[in-house]
């Protein structure tokens, strides 16, 4: 049993079963035992790898997309260049390097990172040395100026609740203790579930997930962009309206039982984009593969390949395929791009034209 499993079991024995969201929140961000506070999640020695860690091309193309979107909207100054959940800071470092030559972009950018883990803030500080980023705790704390935001694999780390439609109505999936071990169970019927299409159209027996913190984060960004202008790219794995239990744990790059190693495994859930897209009056949605192709990843890959040979060239080619191919990250990962509504209608965000 992990140290966190013992703490959770004690709490459950004292005051009853907890929701999947409470469990996820403690597993990821418990101040002492939380996964993002105590572990090194990323890279070959970590538990998983992410698109910016796979290739510099990911951040470069998104950086140029943000810069083009900024130019298309009249190059407002100052503006917030924001990233929630920056991990090691690699994506923002690649964005800043790729946009160095865009006149005025760096001078106008207030680089703002939304990060909950003090340990990862330290890592980001090192990666972004010389760029003077500012950290905030919550999306609500972003400066109230035009907002150009990118988030990769941030939403999938936000706590979900799970509900199941039984003969007596909706019940919530809870985590209790049986024979000393954490185990899933069901609550009594709950009076109310979120009013989203996934719940409205669920068949009998279905498990439906809801991520209130994701809806809050995206709603806040959509409102900011409507008021102050800007563009946001949300990149994550998931679907339009997924069904079933998608809670998953990864430990040393291998799937793990989500209840087996609380605090020692990464926990995520599929992102449902339908309820998020509904929060913006002007958004577009496509696969990561399609968006990266439109942003010019093939040309960029060829350009980088010219300076590479042998194993380095092979791993570069593999990274290109991994980011874009439908059987790898190309179709499982989606991009939701949001911009402001109203007239005059600004151009579509780059990658969607
Ligand atoms: N974007 C990075 C890292 C993804 S991992 C990449 O692509 O490599 C998720 C990131 O979100 C981590 O930095 C984690 O500490 C952060 N995070 C998770 N929950 C958060 C929350 N509630 N508020 C702010 N940051 C959070």
């Amino acid at each position: 049993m992990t140290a966190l499993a013992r703490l959770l079991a004690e709490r459950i024995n004292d005051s009853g079963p907890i929701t999947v969201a409470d469990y996820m929140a403690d597993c990821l961000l418990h101040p002492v035992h939380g996964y993002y506070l105590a572990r090194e999640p990323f890279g070959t020695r970590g538990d998983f790898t992410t698109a910016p860690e796979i290739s510099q091309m990911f951040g470069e193309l998104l950086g140029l997309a943000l810069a083009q979107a900024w130019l298309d909207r009249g190059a407002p100054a100052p503006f917030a260049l924001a990233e929630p959940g920056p991990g090691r800071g690699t994506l923002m470092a690649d964005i800043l390097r790729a946009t160095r030559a865009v006149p005025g972009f760096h001078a106008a950018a207030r680089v703002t990172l939304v990060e909950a883990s003090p340990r990862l803030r330290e890592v980001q500080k090192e990666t972004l040395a010389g760029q003077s980023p500012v950290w905030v705790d919550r999306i609500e704390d972003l400066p109230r100026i035009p907002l150009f935001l990118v988030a990769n694999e941030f939403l999938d780390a936000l706590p979900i609740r799970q509900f199941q439609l039984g003969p007596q109505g909706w019940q919530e999936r809870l985590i209790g203790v049986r024979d000393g071990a954490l185990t899933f169970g069901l609550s009594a019927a709950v009076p109310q579930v979120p009013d989203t299409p996934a719940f409205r159209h669920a068949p009998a027996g279905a498990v439906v997930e809801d991520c209130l913190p994701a809806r809050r984060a995206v709603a806040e960004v959509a409102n900011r962009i409507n008021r102050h202008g800007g563009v946001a790219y949300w990149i994550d794995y998931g679907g339009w309206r997924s069904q079933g239990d998608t809670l998953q744990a990864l430990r040393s790059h291998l799937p793990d039982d989500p209840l087996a190693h609380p605090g020692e495994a990464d926990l995520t859930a599929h992102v449902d984009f339908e309820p998020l897209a509904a929060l913006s009056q002007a958004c577009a949605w496509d696969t990561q593969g399609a968006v990266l192709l439109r942003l010019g990843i093939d040309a960029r890959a060829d350009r980088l390949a010219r300076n590479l040979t042998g194993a380095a060239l092979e791993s570069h080619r593999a990274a290109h395929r991994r980011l874009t191919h439908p059987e790898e990250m190309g179709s499982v990962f989606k991009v939701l791009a949001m911009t402001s509504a109203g007239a005059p209608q600004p151009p579509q965000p780059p990658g969607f034209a």
Side-chain angles (χ1 to χ4, degrees), residues 8 18 34 44 51 55 73 76 116 159 165 167 180 182 212-213 216 240 276 342-343 351:
L8 290 169
I18 58 173
T44 42
S55 168
R73 281 155 187 76
L165 186 53
L182 297 174
L212 178 62
R216 284 217 178 110
W240 188 247
L276 305 179

Side-chain angles (χ1 to χ4, degrees), residues 29 36 42 50 52 83 85-87 114-117 120 152-154 158:
L29 293 173
Y36 284 115
F42 312 104
T50 57
E83 185 186 0
V114 186
E115 175 56 68
S117 159
L120 285 174
N152 186 60
E153 294 213 49
F154 168 69
L158 300 180

Side-chain angles (χ1 to χ4, degrees), residues 28-29 35-37 41-42 48-53 58 83-91 114-118 120-121 124 136-139 150-159 213 235 266 268:
L28 295 179
L29 293 173
Y35 178 75
Y36 284 115
L37 286 96
F42 312 104
F48 61 98
T49 190
T50 57
E53 303 296 336
F58 186 77
E83 185 186 0
R88 286 213 284 221
T90 308
L91 174 56
V114 186
E115 175 56 68
S117 159
L120 285 174
R121 283 188 186 200
Q124 292 152 18
V136 295
D137 291 331
R138 304 167 320 147
I139 287 191
V150 62
N152 186 60
E153 294 213 49
F154 168 69
L155 299 171
D156 68 19
L158 300 180
I235 305 138
D266 183 43
T268 59

Side-chain angles (χ1 to χ4, degrees), residues 33-339:
H33 304 292
Y35 178 75
Y36 284 115
L37 286 96
R39 319 275 299 182
E40 178 51 58
F42 312 104
T44 42
R45 279 178 302 139
D47 294 296
F48 61 98
T49 190
T50 57
E53 303 296 336
I54 289 170
S55 168
Q56 67 187 78
M57 295 188 289
F58 186 77
E60 289 171 348
L61 294 171
L62 281 163
L64 293 174
L66 286 175
Q68 186 60 54
W70 176 73
L71 290 169
D72 288 342
R73 281 155 187 76
F79 73 95
L81 179 57
E83 185 186 0
R88 286 213 284 221
T90 308
L91 174 56
M92 186 53 79
D94 290 338
I95 288 174
L96 290 169
R97 193 184 58 256
T99 53
R100 239 179 350 215
V102 180
F105 189 71
H106 281 203
R110 302 285 172 272
V111 178
T112 312
L113 307 174
V114 186
E115 175 56 68
S117 159
R119 196 188 64 78
L120 285 174
R121 283 188 186 200
E122 287 306 313
V123 178
Q124 292 152 18
K125 198 175 282 176
E126 258 176 53
T127 312
L128 296 168
Q131 311 283 4
S132 44
V134 167
W135 282 267
V136 295
D137 291 331
R138 304 167 320 147
I139 287 191
E140 287 79 357
D141 305 327
L142 289 172
R144 291 170 193 279
I145 52 180
L147 176 59
F148 292 80
L149 176 143
V150 62
N152 186 60
E153 294 213 49
F154 168 69
L155 299 171
D156 68 19
L158 300 180
I160 54 153
R161 291 172 70 184
Q162 296 183 322
F163 298 87
Q164 189 168 332
L165 186 53
Q168 261 76 54
W170 288 102
Q171 294 169 285
E172 180 158 13
R173 276 189 105 204
L174 298 176
I175 293 160
V177 176
R178 194 187 302 134
D179 302 328
L182 297 174
T183 178
F184 283 107
L186 284 174
S187 74
V190 295
Q192 214 182 344
V193 290
D195 185 25
T196 62
F199 284 92
R200 287 199 293 274
H201 301 295
V207 171
V208 177
E209 300 177 335
D210 180 53
C211 190
L212 178 62
R215 288 194 279 124
R216 284 217 178 110
V218 172
E220 179 70 23
V221 168
N223 290 338
R224 296 295 183 98
I225 287 178
N226 265 341
R227 189 161 316 152
H228 304 287
V231 162
Y233 289 94
W234 304 94
I235 305 138
D236 230 303
Y237 83 106
W240 188 247
R241 184 192 301 176
S242 49
Q243 272 207 351
D245 166 17
T246 75
L247 183 67
Q248 73 168 42
L250 268 187
R251 196 164 174 251
S252 307
H253 296 267
L254 291 173
D256 193 26
D257 174 344
L259 299 186
H261 300 100
E264 294 180 4
D266 183 43
L267 276 187
T268 59
H270 278 231
V271 174
D272 278 341
F273 285 91
E274 184 180 40
L276 305 179
L279 299 167
S280 161
Q281 289 149 301
C283 65
W285 190 73
D286 209 337
T287 64
Q288 172 174 301
V291 171
L292 290 179
L293 285 174
R294 281 191 217 108
L295 291 178
I297 194 168
D298 287 348
R300 182 66 187 135
D302 287 344
R303 179 71 194 77
L304 288 170
R306 274 193 239 154
N307 301 325
L308 300 171
T309 53
L313 179 60
E314 256 169 58
S315 105
H316 169 65
R317 293 282 184 223
H320 177 208
R321 183 186 148 89
R322 189 143 175 224
L323 291 179
T324 54
H325 198 278
E327 280 165 17
E328 304 221 25
M329 297 169 80
S331 3
V332 177
F333 279 75
K334 311 291 192 308
V335 185
L336 175 68
M338 305 187 330
T339 183

